[in-house]
Amino acid sequence: QVKSQDAVAMSFYQESFDHNTLNYLSFRTYIKQSIEAGEVYPLFQPQVDVRTQQIVGFEALARMKDETGNWISPAQFIPVIEENGWMVDFSNVMYQNAMSEFQRWVLEQKPAPLPSLSLNLSIMQINHMDFLKNLDRLLTQFKAISSCLELEITEGIFIGNIESKLPILEAIKARGIQIAIDDFGTGYSSLSYLKKLPLDRLKIDQSFVRDIDVDLNDNAIIETIIAMASKLQLEVVSEGVETEQQLTFLQAQDCHIIQGYLTGRPGPLPHSKHSKVA
Ligand code: C2E
Ligand code: MG
Ligand code: MG
Ligand code: MG
């Protein structure tokens, strides 16, 4: 199942590149070389507890640069990486760079409490035999932040046999890493995985948040997701919060952690050691 954002990415990508054109081939080569050169740059978007105005975590979001130094977005490079089978190499570079930057920031700023760092985890990584070996190497290299990591997976990985994913998720949990479901509500998979697997958080997809107040059905869906999450003792993060109205509605539903342009765009880690939102 393709999520909505990927659908946008794919259509952009198909319009931009015919697979046989020189354009596609040179972009493909350029992306491959950039990964090999370690040129994957993390931006950090704050996750904010709106009761305290504290930043409680950051999601690391990958960016690359084109030949002239302009940012390239994941909508452009992720499809190329996926279809060429480079996701593991790409993620190794991304995790290395994001954790390195985050650890340096933590050691310099000494934020207390320590915010979490969320990294996106793709099914291609989970299926790779070296996944845990790579993870353990990173945990050893970045000890100072090893207790505040979270991995975000999408519901897509639960299509099919849910139980088969249990060992790998338990191995992640055994390392003290939190697990979040990203883009929750867009995956069309059975909800039974929610009670069968060791999960910590649900991230409500921005497509539901975007239409708050406009669409009463979306309001109902968000209310229901939050109520269900609370029964299952899962924390809820709302993605894509852009307006005060959306925030007010979410607060009234007892969702306190938000990630969106309203409280901060993806960017460099902040300078203030107090991690307060302006
Ligand atoms: P995601 O993991 O669901 O990340 C959230 C996306 O929503 C980010 O887009 C973020 O910039 C955007 N966003 C956050 N707040 C708002 C808002 O208020 N309004 C709007 N309109 N958008 C908002 P971004 O950075 O372009 O990333 C897109 C997707 O690319 C991510 O969706 C994720 O699926 C993928 N991605 C990004 N970095 C990585 C990575 O390191 N590894 C993998 N496997 N995928 C990644
Ligand atoms: Mg994510
Ligand atoms: Mg998401
Ligand atoms: Mg998304």
Side-chain angles (χ1 to χ4, degrees), residues 59 61 120 152 182 203 239:
E59 178 175 2
L61 293 158
N120 290 287
E152 299 188 358
D182 203 355
K203 299 186 74 178
E239 285 196 279

Side-chain angles (χ1 to χ4, degrees), residues 158-278:
F158 302 129
I159 294 170
N161 183 358
I162 294 168
E163 278 79 10
S164 70
K165 302 301 185 309
L166 193 55
I168 193 75
L169 297 185
E170 278 175 343
I172 292 170
K173 291 293 296 175
R175 286 158 173 77
I177 299 171
Q178 304 247 105
I179 300 174
I181 302 298
D182 203 355
D183 305 332
F184 182 74
T186 62
Y188 301 106
S189 65
S190 148
L191 288 181
S192 61
Y193 73 85
L194 287 176
K195 55 175 190 184
K196 292 184 180 157
L197 300 175
L199 308 173
D200 301 288
R201 278 179 162 188
L202 295 187
K203 299 186 74 178
I204 300 181
D205 191 66
Q206 51 193 47
S207 60
F208 300 115
V209 175
R210 190 182 305 134
D211 289 345
I212 284 175
D213 280 345
V214 181
D215 186 340
L216 289 176
N217 289 327
D218 275 331
N219 292 6
I221 288 171
I222 291 184
E223 282 176 47
T224 308
I225 292 174
I226 293 172
M228 179 189 66
S230 129
K231 286 220 168 102
L232 295 168
Q233 291 177 301
L234 298 169
E235 197 170 38
V236 178
V237 180
S238 291
E239 285 196 279
V241 181
E242 294 185 357
T243 70
E244 292 288 346
Q245 292 92 304
Q246 292 165 347
L247 174 59
T248 305
F249 173 79
L250 290 164
Q251 280 189 289
Q253 303 307 316
D254 269 344
C255 174
H256 299 298
I257 304 194
I258 65 168
Q259 180 184 338
Y261 294 169
L262 183 67
T263 45
R265 288 182 178 251
L269 290 163
H271 287 298
S272 156
K273 77 202 272 173
H274 300 297
S275 301
K276 275 266 186 186
V277 180

Side-chain angles (χ1 to χ4, degrees), residues 68-232:
T68 58
N70 295 314
W71 292 114
I72 316 174
S73 82
Q76 293 161 278
F77 59 75
I78 295 275
V80 177
I81 287 169
E82 281 180 341
E83 70 176 26
N84 286 287
W86 300 333
M87 188 48 94
V88 170
D89 291 338
F90 163 81
S91 301
N92 283 339
V93 174
M94 173 61 185
Y95 282 27
Q96 176 77 29
N97 292 349
M99 289 176 75
S100 162
E101 223 178 287
F102 192 70
Q103 173 160 288
R104 195 175 339 114
W105 178 79
V106 162
L107 295 176
E108 276 167 23
Q109 304 279 335
K110 301 184 176 57
L114 204 55
S116 57
L117 176 67
S118 303
L119 299 164
N120 290 287
L121 177 64
S122 114
I123 181 132
M124 272 88 77
Q125 292 169 268
I126 288 188
N127 288 343
H128 193 267
M129 61 180 203
D130 286 339
F131 172 65
L132 290 174
K133 205 177 89 187
N134 290 334
L135 193 59
D136 285 334
R137 183 179 43 75
L138 290 163
L139 292 173
T140 308
Q141 191 182 352
F142 302 110
K143 264 208 175 60
I145 56 165
S146 63
S147 66
C148 61
L149 293 180
E150 175 173 85
L151 294 177
E152 299 188 358
I153 52 185
T154 54
E155 291 168 275
I157 82 158
F158 302 129
I159 294 170
N161 183 358
I162 294 168
E163 278 79 10
S164 70
K165 302 301 185 309
L166 193 55
I168 193 75
L169 297 185
E170 278 175 343
I172 292 170
K173 291 293 296 175
R175 286 158 173 77
I177 299 171
Q178 304 247 105
I179 300 174
I181 302 298
D182 203 355
D183 305 332
F184 182 74
T186 62
Y188 301 106
S189 65
S190 148
L191 288 181
S192 61
Y193 73 85
L194 287 176
K195 55 175 190 184
K196 292 184 180 157
L197 300 175
L199 308 173
D200 301 288
R201 278 179 162 188
L202 295 187
K203 299 186 74 178
I204 300 181
D205 191 66
Q206 51 193 47
S207 60
F208 300 115
V209 175
R210 190 182 305 134
D211 289 345
I212 284 175
D213 280 345
V214 181
D215 186 340
L216 289 176
N217 289 327
D218 275 331
N219 292 6
I221 288 171
I222 291 184
E223 282 176 47
T224 308
I225 292 174
I226 293 172
M228 179 189 66
S230 129
K231 286 220 168 102
L232 295 168

